[in-house]
Amino acid sequence: MNYYCLTATLLAPLAIQRTRQNNAPGALPYLPGSSLRGAVAAKYLREGGSPDDDEFRTLFIENPVFFSNLLPTDHDGKIISQVLPLTSVSCKRYPGFTDENGHGVRDILAKKMLERIDPDNYSEQACIKCDNDLKGLSGFWNGNMVAPRMFQPTMFFQRHTGIDRTTGTVAPAIFFITQAISDFQKTLTGDYECQILSCGMFMNDRQIAVLEPLFKTPLFAGQDRTRGMGELQVAVEPFNIETPDIDTWDRNFKGIIKHNAGDNLDPALLSGLYFSLKLESHAILVDEFLRSTTEIELTLPCIEPVLKVTKSQLIRGWNDAWGLAKPDDMGIIMGSVYLFRYTGNNREGLRQYLNKLAIDGKLAIDGIGLRRAEGFGSVLICDPLHTRKEAI
Ligand SMILES: [Zn+2]
């Protein structure tokens, strides 16, 4: 298994509807892994392949590729974007990173943990620059603490009228709106650049050998493909992935706990080894009876859950092969954060377990929960943003 970076250049606007309701025309600002997977499968079959081929089976059935969400990125497409955690906050009036003329983004995971333990010490935080309230900030960013940058695609609305089938003219009282990601973006200097989406994916040599020829010509994804929407040129390149340094993360996180708690610090809070897990895509978690849950169970003993900051989300989809809607699933939203503490003595064992989870093992390759081949349940271990004291 090797790690690859996929970049998709939009050759036409891309529309992925948020809901199945026609009266709510919102579109997603990214391309979900399930749509990418559907687009690749459709292309394979359209070019004369069959679902019984070995090539098709190696991509989608036996040990399938887990297609990640393609997220907006910069104009080079060299960065794999990250999701801002649900614990990140910014100024209500001037949200965003300081480098991008916002009033800064900070993370409140440690603060939330202390508030949970001692609710009396709860204090509303205000922006240090303008004293307005802080509000949660969501979106995609480059994950770079030194030069942070948000990636926001340009979204636009298209207006449509209905055509009367008898007269061939505009039908009265039929007017609807759809939303889409624009295929270009205007830069600060006034130039126009192509909109690029990127993601990281694990694949073996056989899978990449089947995929590469498929990416030589454009793919089509999303709605309104017959009107020329959703055309993408995909490229794939090997990518290096870094191992998270769990010990440094734990040390820095304890520093934040000390800083936030001040004189009220309970020394017991500094025992054990903390680590966090952030959902990079929506996750569909179920318990042993297949009921939906918000808990993540790690199998190593002596790991205790400390805090989770999650939101749920109804996950809908459409299966082109069936011509039917996929069953709705209740999921946990991307950006959700889980904080754990290890209280055992075998730290080396824990480090190996987490590195295995993070890099070459179960979590990073397989993710968590159900429908992982469609990009659900991708995780990031120990996001450094949680251990940042100052706003960036
Ligand atoms: Zn402010």
Side-chain angles (χ1 to χ4, degrees):
M1 282 278 184
N2 293 314
Y3 197 62
Y4 293 90
C5 173
L6 250 73
T7 50
T9 310
L10 298 200
L11 303 179
L14 172 70
I16 309 281
Q17 274 184 28
R18 271 180 201 276
T19 67
R20 281 197 285 271
Q21 268 98 42
N22 286 338
N23 58 353
L28 294 176
Y30 64 94
L31 176 66
S34 54
S35 304
L36 174 64
R37 182 172 178 257
V40 173
K43 179 144 201 240
Y44 183 84
L45 297 177
R46 210 169 36 240
E47 290 183 355
S50 147
D52 298 323
D53 294 349
D54 274 357
E55 287 83 4
F56 189 88
R57 298 184 70 82
T58 189
L59 279 189
F60 302 106
I61 296 165
E62 291 151 4
N63 195 12
V65 176
F66 292 168
F67 286 89
S68 306
N69 294 339
L70 277 162
L71 306 180
T73 181
D74 70 339
H75 63 274
D76 288 334
K78 300 272 182 238
I79 297 167
I80 297 179
S81 309
Q82 293 184 17
V83 176
L84 276 170
L86 288 188
T87 48
S88 56
V89 293
S90 189
C91 176
K92 180 179 164 182
R93 295 268 172 245
Y94 303 94
F97 295 111
T98 341
D99 282 3
E100 296 185 304
N101 300 327
H103 279 185
V105 177
R106 62 175 63 235
D107 186 273
I108 53 165
L109 180 64
K111 185 172 176 286
K112 273 190 180 288
M113 178 190 128
L114 293 168
E115 281 167 8
R116 176 69 56 87
I117 295 163
D118 183 10
D120 293 342
N121 269 331
Y122 175 81
S123 63
E124 198 71 55
Q125 277 198 334
C127 173
I128 47 166
K129 289 197 177 158
C130 68
D131 210 29
N132 270 300
D133 291 346
L134 293 181
K135 248 181 91 178
L137 184 72
S138 60
F140 310 111
W141 74 302
N142 59 3
N144 184 338
M145 305 282 274
V146 184
R149 228 189 110 189
M150 291 281 283
F151 296 130
Q152 238 172 349
T154 305
M155 308 293 290
F156 72 101
F157 285 100
Q158 290 173 309
R159 289 157 291 276
H160 308 271
T161 49
I163 303 293
D164 189 306
R165 289 185 185 186
T166 343
T167 62
T169 57
V170 173
I174 300 182
F175 178 74
F176 61 98
I177 296 171
T178 52
Q179 196 184 21
I181 305 178
S182 170
D183 49 341
F184 59 84
Q185 262 200 321
K186 197 171 178 182
T187 61
L188 292 175
T189 52
D191 299 326
Y192 289 94
E193 281 173 351
C194 285
Q195 176 66 56
I196 295 183
L197 310 175
S198 73
C199 71
M201 274 170 33
F202 285 96
M203 279 178 282
N204 62 32
D205 293 345
R206 234 182 118 209
Q207 291 165 333
I208 193 81
V210 181
L211 269 185
E212 268 181 332
L214 286 176
F215 290 156
K216 287 208 168 114
T217 48
L219 282 184
F220 285 86
Q223 276 85 42
D224 292 344
R225 296 188 297 273
T226 50
R227 295 177 203 169
M229 304 265 284
E231 188 179 6
L232 319 159
Q233 183 65 56
V234 183
V236 57
E237 266 181 38
F239 195 84
N240 279 335
I241 187 167
E242 283 173 26
T243 321
D245 183 350
I246 295 146
D247 293 287
T248 311
W249 192 93
D250 168 67
R251 206 165 41 245
N252 293 344
F253 189 71
K254 283 176 182 157
I256 303 264
I257 295 176
K258 277 189 219 158
H259 174 78
N260 278 326
D263 298 338
N264 301 323
L265 180 68
D266 175 1
L269 287 179
L270 299 181
S271 66
L273 190 137
Y274 288 95
F275 62 94
S276 75
L277 206 147
K278 180 186 67 170
L279 295 185
E280 286 293 314
S281 62
H282 299 331
I284 303 165
L285 305 177
V286 288
D287 66 8
E288 54 188 314
F289 302 110
L290 296 179
R291 296 172 302 194
S292 82
T293 173
T294 57
E295 306 296 335
I296 293 177
E297 295 215 3
L298 298 178
T299 46
L300 199 75
C302 302
I303 290 180
E304 56 182 48
V306 179
L307 180 76
K308 61 174 193 281
V309 184
T310 62
K311 265 188 201 168
S312 48
Q313 161 98 36
L314 193 62
I315 291 169
R316 297 189 163 109
W318 183 266
N319 188 320
D320 261 357
W322 301 341
L324 284 174
K326 288 180 188 172
D328 291 350
D329 275 311
M330 187 48 88
I332 312 296
I333 201 168
M334 62 172 81
S336 293
V337 181
Y338 292 78
L339 180 66
F340 296 94
R341 182 165 49 171
Y342 177 69
T343 51
N345 295 321
N346 183 7
R347 288 212 171 186
E348 192 45 47
L350 174 82
R351 260 190 294 279
Q352 283 172 9
Y353 175 76
L354 286 180
N355 279 337
K356 211 166 152 43
L357 285 185
I359 295 299
D360 51 16
K362 204 169 152 30
L363 279 188
I365 297 181
D366 285 4
I368 49 165
L370 306 180
R371 293 172 61 180
R372 297 191 301 247
E374 296 169 53
F376 293 105
S378 154
V379 296
L380 184 108
I381 289 175
C382 292
D383 187 343
L385 189 62
H386 300 310
T387 61
R388 176 85 187 187
K389 219 175 271 179
E390 303 84 23
I392 52 171

